[in-house]
Amino acid sequence: MLRSLVGSEMCIRDRYMSSLGPEGLMASLFLGDLCSLSEIMSEGKSGSFFYFSHDMRFMVKTISLEEFYKFRAILPQYHNHVTSNKHTLLSQLLGLYKLKMTDPLAAHSDRLMFIVMNNLFYTDKPPFRRYDLKGSTQGRESTEEERSENSVALKDLDFMVGEDAMHLKPDTAQLLADTIVADSKLLAELEIMDYSLLLGIHKLEDPTIELVTDPEAPPFEQDAGGIRSVDPDGHPGEFVYFVGIIDILIPYSARKAVEHAAKSVIHDSHTISAVPPDQYAKRFQGFMIENVISGPVVWNAEAEGAALGEGAALGEGAALGEGAALGEGAALGEGAALGEGAALGEDGVIIAQESENHQETVAIEMESLH
């Protein structure tokens, strides 16, 4: 099953097998000869090590035992999602390995778990800036030293003070927003959190140049492996974006729940990274769609605790506040908002709404909501 994750096209599978392949990789590790891999790229914050294949097409990343078993548990759902959604942003995880190393002179053995994945920045258009975005803000700011290095991914607060929002064609922006929602919804269902949107930005030396395009590639990889920006007039722009969702094996475990409880005492619980999967997904969706994608997209934001009744509908740009409820057959029109604790019953009547000082009952005709 893992080998089929590289894609249905035989050429993609062949690239993986010729570039790295499980047999060649394992042989290199057993023989202690890493000629098929580049030198260590970096040690991540989690303690993981990263290697590149010799042609830079794939990456090898060490993972924890917790992540190893999580991937085995979610493999059927992950496989179904990435093979049925050509435009998914989820990392292409191509191989899962566990290497047990026994010392005959000692009474113990060591285990090494690692995954093989695609290299998002395998391109002749290297990013001059890259971001690792989670949608949280607590501690999500790079140091001066990190900001001075192009190879280091900047964080959420860095992005918010910059001017790097993605300027895309309307249909591409909408597809990207829909994909972010679909992918993060799956991760929430799988009880996964702490993932990131990895964004790389390449600036073309000549904005008038025509890029090599591949209409058979996934939608977000058709312009020299990425997505070309557009200028205010809708013409091809000077940037190429490379985007994907990474670190998709971190479960919301008891350890993460304790971290959430501890940090919530000190910081606003909505700003920290360690939050339950449903909350993480909604915050992730909101940050990416409202901040990263430039321009209007249709996104029905549902806040925590909000509920849609049977046949209820949210119009373009409409939003339900925390704890709000939209009753059976009710509709909230374009740009309308139902505040925290409000309930819209049948026939379009707001039956209860929490104000700042007291709770009041009001009735509003449906036309006024559009």
Side-chain angles (χ1 to χ4, degrees):
M1 183 181 288
L2 279 173
R3 289 190 183 184
S4 68
L5 295 180
V6 299
S8 58
E9 297 87 347
M10 185 61 70
C11 62
I12 301 178
R13 186 179 294 110
D14 289 344
R15 287 172 186 169
Y16 169 52
M17 299 303 291
S18 62
S19 171
L20 201 57
E23 291 79 9
L25 176 62
M26 297 305 290
S28 295
L29 290 172
F30 277 122
L31 296 174
D33 176 14
L34 299 181
C35 61
S36 63
L37 302 174
S38 70
E39 294 183 0
I40 294 175
M41 182 183 80
S42 66
E43 181 180 2
K45 183 179 178 182
S46 63
S48 297
F49 284 90
F50 299 81
Y51 295 83
F52 284 119
S53 60
H54 66 89
D55 58 3
M56 304 299 289
R57 190 182 291 273
F58 301 104
M59 296 173 61
V60 176
K61 176 189 177 185
T62 60
I63 59 175
S64 67
L65 187 61
E66 183 180 49
E67 291 173 291
F68 178 87
Y69 285 116
K70 184 64 178 180
F71 189 29
R72 289 181 57 177
I74 68 168
L75 181 54
Q77 299 96 316
Y78 171 80
H79 180 269
N80 179 66
H81 184 82
V82 299
T83 54
S84 60
N85 294 279
K86 186 178 181 180
H87 49 272
T88 181
L89 295 171
L90 298 183
S91 298
Q92 295 179 17
L93 304 181
L94 312 176
L96 175 67
Y97 301 89
K98 179 167 67 172
L99 182 62
K100 184 177 180 180
M101 299 167 287
T102 302
D103 185 349
L105 301 179
H108 70 279
S109 60
D110 294 322
R111 290 176 297 182
L112 178 67
M113 285 74 62
F114 54 94
I115 54 175
V116 180
M117 69 185 82
N118 66 310
N119 176 14
L120 184 64
F121 299 144
Y122 175 71
T123 174
D124 61 354
K125 303 287 186 292
F128 79 96
R129 187 174 297 131
R130 55 191 79 188
Y131 289 96
D132 179 292
L133 304 171
K134 294 181 179 293
S136 58
T137 55
Q138 181 59 45
R140 299 292 296 163
E141 184 175 16
S142 303
T143 65
E144 287 292 337
E145 181 180 356
E146 290 172 333
R147 282 193 287 268
S148 65
E149 298 182 21
N150 289 342
S151 62
V152 175
L154 304 180
K155 301 175 184 176
D156 301 68
L157 291 177
D158 306 310
F159 186 89
M160 294 179 72
V161 299
E163 298 180 354
D164 287 327
M166 301 175 69
H167 297 276
L168 306 171
K169 293 185 293 186
D171 57 340
T172 303
Q174 185 62 60
L175 179 60
L176 181 59
D178 292 342
T179 303
I180 288 172
V181 170
D183 286 345
S184 56
K185 181 180 179 181
L186 172 74
L187 296 176
E189 293 172 353
L190 297 176
E191 294 292 309
I192 290 172
M193 43 76 68
D194 217 19
Y195 44 89
S196 305
L197 186 84
L198 182 61
L199 171 64
I201 306 173
H202 173 84
K203 186 173 183 179
L204 298 169
E205 294 182 5
D206 180 6
T208 65
I209 191 174
E210 291 189 12
L211 297 178
V212 176
T213 60
D214 181 5
E216 298 300 319
F220 307 126
E221 300 176 19
Q222 294 182 353
D223 302 322
I227 318 169
R228 186 163 187 175
S229 67
V230 295
D231 64 20
D233 296 323
H235 300 130
E238 61 179 339
F239 299 108
V240 181
Y241 305 113
F242 302 90
V243 60
I245 297 177
I246 62 171
D247 296 335
I248 59 172
L249 296 179
I250 303 173
Y252 188 67
S253 58
R255 179 173 57 83
K256 287 292 184 180
V258 170
E259 180 184 345
H260 170 71
K263 289 186 175 181
S264 296
V265 175
I266 305 173
H267 308 289
D268 181 349
S269 62
H270 292 88
T271 67
I272 62 178
S273 180
V275 295
D278 283 343
Q279 183 180 340
Y280 192 97
K282 290 171 184 175
R283 184 181 64 189
F284 184 83
Q285 295 166 11
F287 184 89
M288 305 310 158
I289 294 173
E290 295 171 4
N291 296 283
V292 179
I293 302 174
S294 177
V297 296
V298 178
W299 178 53
N300 294 334
E302 243 182 271
E304 183 176 357
L308 286 178
E310 182 177 351
L314 283 176
E316 180 176 349
L320 291 182
E322 183 173 346
L326 202 58
E328 180 176 348
L332 200 58
E334 181 176 345
L338 201 58
E340 181 177 347
L344 188 63
E346 296 182 40
D347 302 322
V349 175
I350 294 182
I351 56 176
Q353 178 170 299
E354 188 76 21
S355 66
E356 291 186 1
N357 301 314
H358 63 282
Q359 188 167 358
E360 57 186 12
T361 301
V362 295
I364 299 181
E365 296 295 331
M366 279 301 298
E367 286 77 13
S368 67
L369 292 175
H370 290 264

